[in-house]
Amino acid sequence: MAQIPEDVTSAWQQKNTPAVLSTVDDEGIPNVIYSAFISLYGEDAFAITDHFFNKTRDNILRGCKGAVLFLSEDGKSSYQLKGTFEYHEDGEIYEQIRDSMPPQLPSRAVAILRVEDVYSGGKRL
């Protein structure tokens, strides 16, 4: 796993738009969604709450890799973080994240994206 660089973490905390989450199915067809329910999780991961996943959930459960993409607050920089998913429908990680989920939304599960590669634009960090 790759530690997320401090400048990327800072940019994440300053962003003001939803992030983009991408997965891929077993035939290599990408699935891309906006998600407002992504948060940093430790120094090397993102937690993504599953409220309404369909294809995204299927892809994660099949073991696909994925990516989170977001823009800096000023829109001048983009960051892409790629990695491997874990999916938690119960247990310690799920319980920990569930408390931060909006109570009016279904709390199905939490996907953890363990970051392996970090990019700013086309440059690998």
Side-chain angles (χ1 to χ4, degrees), residues 7-73:
D7 59 330
V8 177
T9 299
S10 178
W12 174 264
Q13 293 167 343
Q14 303 287 324
K15 75 175 185 51
N16 57 12
T17 59
V20 175
L21 176 66
S22 68
T23 59
V24 64
D25 72 12
D26 56 352
E27 294 179 18
I29 298 171
N31 181 59
V32 181
I33 63 170
Y34 282 110
S35 180
F37 303 106
I38 300 177
S39 57
L40 284 170
Y41 186 74
E43 297 179 341
D44 68 345
F46 284 93
I48 306 106
T49 55
D50 175 359
H51 301 291
F52 301 107
F53 288 174
N54 288 304
K55 289 183 279 185
T56 300
R57 179 186 314 110
D58 291 345
N59 292 343
I60 291 170
L61 292 175
R62 284 188 188 105
C64 80
K65 292 198 173 214
V68 168
L69 174 72
F70 71 96
L71 293 172
S72 62
E73 181 179 32

Side-chain angles (χ1 to χ4, degrees), residues 37-118:
F37 303 106
I38 300 177
S39 57
L40 284 170
Y41 186 74
E43 297 179 341
D44 68 345
F46 284 93
I48 306 106
T49 55
D50 175 359
H51 301 291
F52 301 107
F53 288 174
N54 288 304
K55 289 183 279 185
T56 300
R57 179 186 314 110
D58 291 345
N59 292 343
I60 291 170
L61 292 175
R62 284 188 188 105
C64 80
K65 292 198 173 214
V68 168
L69 174 72
F70 71 96
L71 293 172
S72 62
E73 181 179 32
D74 61 10
K76 294 181 180 179
S77 299
S78 65
Y79 300 95
Q80 183 179 179
L81 300 98
K82 300 178 182 183
T84 304
F85 287 107
E86 302 169 4
Y87 194 76
H88 301 271
E89 296 177 271
D90 55 26
E92 183 179 337
I93 291 174
Y94 172 76
E95 296 293 328
Q96 182 183 36
I97 302 299
R98 185 182 64 187
D99 293 337
S100 67
M101 294 182 194
Q104 70 274 20
L105 296 176
S107 55
R108 293 188 173 121
V110 174
I112 302 294
L113 180 71
R114 298 286 177 188
V115 174
E116 297 168 354
D117 294 300
V118 181

